[in-house]
PDB file of all heavy atoms in Angstrom:
ATOM      1  N   ARG A 274      14.902   5.588  -3.528  1.00  0.00           N
ATOM      2  CA  ARG A 274      16.084   5.641  -4.315  1.00  0.00           C
ATOM      3  C   ARG A 274      17.236   6.109  -3.534  1.00  0.00           C
ATOM      4  O   ARG A 274      17.211   7.066  -2.752  1.00  0.00           O
ATOM      5  CB  ARG A 274      15.950   6.375  -5.616  1.00  0.00           C
ATOM      6  CG  ARG A 274      15.139   5.701  -6.640  1.00  0.00           C
ATOM      7  CD  ARG A 274      15.252   6.533  -7.883  1.00  0.00           C
ATOM      8  NE  ARG A 274      14.543   5.895  -9.117  1.00  0.00           N
ATOM      9  CZ  ARG A 274      14.632   6.340 -10.296  1.00  0.00           C
ATOM     10  NH1 ARG A 274      15.539   7.231 -10.612  1.00  0.00           N
ATOM     11  NH2 ARG A 274      13.854   5.972 -11.220  1.00  0.00           N
ATOM     12  N   ASP A 342       4.463   5.681 -19.195  1.00  0.00           N
ATOM     13  CA  ASP A 342       5.579   6.487 -19.210  1.00  0.00           C
ATOM     14  C   ASP A 342       5.389   7.913 -18.932  1.00  0.00           C
ATOM     15  O   ASP A 342       5.116   8.676 -19.726  1.00  0.00           O
ATOM     16  CB  ASP A 342       6.304   6.354 -20.720  1.00  0.00           C
ATOM     17  CG  ASP A 342       7.507   7.190 -20.883  1.00  0.00           C
ATOM     18  OD1 ASP A 342       8.253   7.468 -19.875  1.00  0.00           O
ATOM     19  OD2 ASP A 342       7.770   7.576 -21.986  1.00  0.00           O
ATOM     20  N   PHE A 344       7.483   9.395 -16.175  1.00  0.00           N
ATOM     21  CA  PHE A 344       8.699   9.804 -15.503  1.00  0.00           C
ATOM     22  C   PHE A 344       9.891   9.378 -16.361  1.00  0.00           C
ATOM     23  O   PHE A 344       9.961   8.527 -17.090  1.00  0.00           O
ATOM     24  CB  PHE A 344       8.751   9.234 -14.108  1.00  0.00           C
ATOM     25  CG  PHE A 344       7.601   9.587 -13.259  1.00  0.00           C
ATOM     26  CD1 PHE A 344       6.390   9.161 -13.155  1.00  0.00           C
ATOM     27  CD2 PHE A 344       7.855  10.644 -12.274  1.00  0.00           C
ATOM     28  CE1 PHE A 344       5.406   9.585 -12.403  1.00  0.00           C
ATOM     29  CE2 PHE A 344       6.858  11.136 -11.491  1.00  0.00           C
ATOM     30  CZ  PHE A 344       5.729  10.504 -11.501  1.00  0.00           C
ATOM     31  N   ASP A 345      10.900  10.194 -16.184  1.00  0.00           N
ATOM     32  CA  ASP A 345      12.143   9.914 -16.888  1.00  0.00           C
ATOM     33  C   ASP A 345      12.992   8.978 -16.029  1.00  0.00           C
ATOM     34  O   ASP A 345      12.616   8.585 -14.921  1.00  0.00           O
ATOM     35  CB  ASP A 345      13.015  11.313 -17.139  1.00  0.00           C
ATOM     36  CG  ASP A 345      13.351  12.061 -15.950  1.00  0.00           C
ATOM     37  OD1 ASP A 345      13.390  11.523 -14.925  1.00  0.00           O
ATOM     38  OD2 ASP A 345      13.568  13.300 -16.182  1.00  0.00           O
ATOM     39  N   ALA A 346      14.299   8.756 -16.376  1.00  0.00           N
ATOM     40  CA  ALA A 346      15.129   7.768 -15.777  1.00  0.00           C
ATOM     41  C   ALA A 346      15.520   8.210 -14.522  1.00  0.00           C
ATOM     42  O   ALA A 346      15.764   7.290 -13.607  1.00  0.00           O
ATOM     43  CB  ALA A 346      16.403   7.559 -16.767  1.00  0.00           C
ATOM     44  N   SER A 347      15.577   9.543 -14.135  1.00  0.00           N
ATOM     45  CA  SER A 347      15.989  10.047 -12.855  1.00  0.00           C
ATOM     46  C   SER A 347      14.801   9.885 -11.901  1.00  0.00           C
ATOM     47  O   SER A 347      15.092  10.229 -10.815  1.00  0.00           O
ATOM     48  CB  SER A 347      16.471  11.408 -13.019  1.00  0.00           C
ATOM     49  OG  SER A 347      15.409  12.365 -13.406  1.00  0.00           O
ATOM     50  N   GLY A 351       8.104  13.435 -16.367  1.00  0.00           N
ATOM     51  CA  GLY A 351       8.418  13.659 -17.862  1.00  0.00           C
ATOM     52  C   GLY A 351       8.661  12.358 -18.639  1.00  0.00           C
ATOM     53  O   GLY A 351       9.432  11.492 -18.113  1.00  0.00           O
ATOM     54  N   ASN A 353      10.155   9.740 -21.256  1.00  0.00           N
ATOM     55  CA  ASN A 353      11.401   9.474 -21.883  1.00  0.00           C
ATOM     56  C   ASN A 353      11.429   8.360 -22.906  1.00  0.00           C
ATOM     57  O   ASN A 353      12.419   7.870 -23.305  1.00  0.00           O
ATOM     58  CB  ASN A 353      12.490   9.266 -20.881  1.00  0.00           C
ATOM     59  CG  ASN A 353      12.315   7.988 -20.106  1.00  0.00           C
ATOM     60  OD1 ASN A 353      11.202   7.445 -20.092  1.00  0.00           O
ATOM     61  ND2 ASN A 353      13.376   7.518 -19.561  1.00  0.00           N
ATOM     62  N   LEU A 355      10.298   5.217 -22.425  1.00  0.00           N
ATOM     63  CA  LEU A 355      10.534   3.964 -21.823  1.00  0.00           C
ATOM     64  C   LEU A 355       9.473   3.806 -20.685  1.00  0.00           C
ATOM     65  O   LEU A 355       9.311   4.827 -19.818  1.00  0.00           O
ATOM     66  CB  LEU A 355      12.006   3.899 -21.268  1.00  0.00           C
ATOM     67  CG  LEU A 355      12.521   2.457 -20.942  1.00  0.00           C
ATOM     68  CD1 LEU A 355      12.651   1.750 -22.231  1.00  0.00           C
ATOM     69  CD2 LEU A 355      13.859   2.505 -20.132  1.00  0.00           C
ATOM     70  N   PRO A 356       8.856   2.641 -20.585  1.00  0.00           N
ATOM     71  CA  PRO A 356       8.008   2.467 -19.398  1.00  0.00           C
ATOM     72  C   PRO A 356       8.693   2.732 -18.067  1.00  0.00           C
ATOM     73  O   PRO A 356       9.867   2.396 -17.866  1.00  0.00           O
ATOM     74  CB  PRO A 356       7.648   0.991 -19.567  1.00  0.00           C
ATOM     75  CG  PRO A 356       7.722   0.744 -20.950  1.00  0.00           C
ATOM     76  CD  PRO A 356       8.927   1.350 -21.431  1.00  0.00           C
ATOM     77  N   ASP A 357       7.995   3.386 -17.254  1.00  0.00           N
ATOM     78  CA  ASP A 357       8.515   3.820 -15.797  1.00  0.00           C
ATOM     79  C   ASP A 357       9.084   2.575 -15.106  1.00  0.00           C
ATOM     80  O   ASP A 357       9.982   2.760 -14.430  1.00  0.00           O
ATOM     81  CB  ASP A 357       7.571   4.556 -15.098  1.00  0.00           C
ATOM     82  CG  ASP A 357       7.125   5.905 -15.660  1.00  0.00           C
ATOM     83  OD1 ASP A 357       7.978   6.356 -16.478  1.00  0.00           O
ATOM     84  OD2 ASP A 357       6.062   6.379 -15.536  1.00  0.00           O
ATOM     85  N   VAL A 358       8.388   1.440 -15.300  1.00  0.00           N
ATOM     86  CA  VAL A 358       8.886   0.179 -14.442  1.00  0.00           C
ATOM     87  C   VAL A 358      10.311  -0.063 -14.972  1.00  0.00           C
ATOM     88  O   VAL A 358      11.188  -0.632 -14.094  1.00  0.00           O
ATOM     89  CB  VAL A 358       7.867  -0.951 -14.589  1.00  0.00           C
ATOM     90  CG1 VAL A 358       7.771  -1.450 -16.109  1.00  0.00           C
ATOM     91  CG2 VAL A 358       8.217  -2.148 -13.619  1.00  0.00           C
ATOM     92  N   LEU A 359      10.595  -0.043 -16.230  1.00  0.00           N
ATOM     93  CA  LEU A 359      11.951  -0.211 -16.819  1.00  0.00           C
ATOM     94  C   LEU A 359      12.927   0.717 -16.273  1.00  0.00           C
ATOM     95  O   LEU A 359      14.139   0.436 -15.999  1.00  0.00           O
ATOM     96  CB  LEU A 359      11.976  -0.419 -18.257  1.00  0.00           C
ATOM     97  CG  LEU A 359      11.117  -1.532 -18.765  1.00  0.00           C
ATOM     98  CD1 LEU A 359      11.225  -1.714 -20.375  1.00  0.00           C
ATOM     99  CD2 LEU A 359      11.455  -2.995 -18.075  1.00  0.00           C
ATOM    100  N   ASP A 360      12.490   1.979 -16.335  1.00  0.00           N
ATOM    101  CA  ASP A 360      13.376   3.106 -15.655  1.00  0.00           C
ATOM    102  C   ASP A 360      13.757   2.743 -14.217  1.00  0.00           C
ATOM    103  O   ASP A 360      15.037   2.899 -13.872  1.00  0.00           O
ATOM    104  CB  ASP A 360      12.717   4.330 -15.787  1.00  0.00           C
ATOM    105  CG  ASP A 360      12.715   5.177 -17.111  1.00  0.00           C
ATOM    106  OD1 ASP A 360      13.583   4.868 -17.797  1.00  0.00           O
ATOM    107  OD2 ASP A 360      11.767   5.743 -17.355  1.00  0.00           O
ATOM    108  N   GLU A 361      12.818   2.140 -13.542  1.00  0.00           N
ATOM    109  CA  GLU A 361      13.051   1.914 -12.134  1.00  0.00           C
ATOM    110  C   GLU A 361      14.047   0.689 -12.004  1.00  0.00           C
ATOM    111  O   GLU A 361      15.002   0.650 -11.116  1.00  0.00           O
ATOM    112  CB  GLU A 361      11.863   1.742 -11.330  1.00  0.00           C
ATOM    113  CG  GLU A 361      12.078   1.838  -9.859  1.00  0.00           C
ATOM    114  CD  GLU A 361      12.397   3.384  -9.504  1.00  0.00           C
ATOM    115  OE1 GLU A 361      11.932   4.215 -10.245  1.00  0.00           O
ATOM    116  OE2 GLU A 361      13.109   3.498  -8.510  1.00  0.00           O
ATOM    117  N   ALA A 362      13.776  -0.284 -12.842  1.00  0.00           N
ATOM    118  CA  ALA A 362      14.611  -1.460 -12.743  1.00  0.00           C
ATOM    119  C   ALA A 362      16.013  -1.301 -13.190  1.00  0.00           C
ATOM    120  O   ALA A 362      16.945  -1.671 -12.674  1.00  0.00           O
ATOM    121  CB  ALA A 362      13.928  -2.599 -13.682  1.00  0.00           C
TER     122      ALA A 362
END
Side-chain angles (χ1 to χ4, degrees):
R274 279 194 184 188
D342 174 24
F344 293 82
D345 61 22
S347 67
N353 66 342
L355 196 67
D357 294 333
V358 65
L359 296 185
D360 282 326
E361 202 60 37

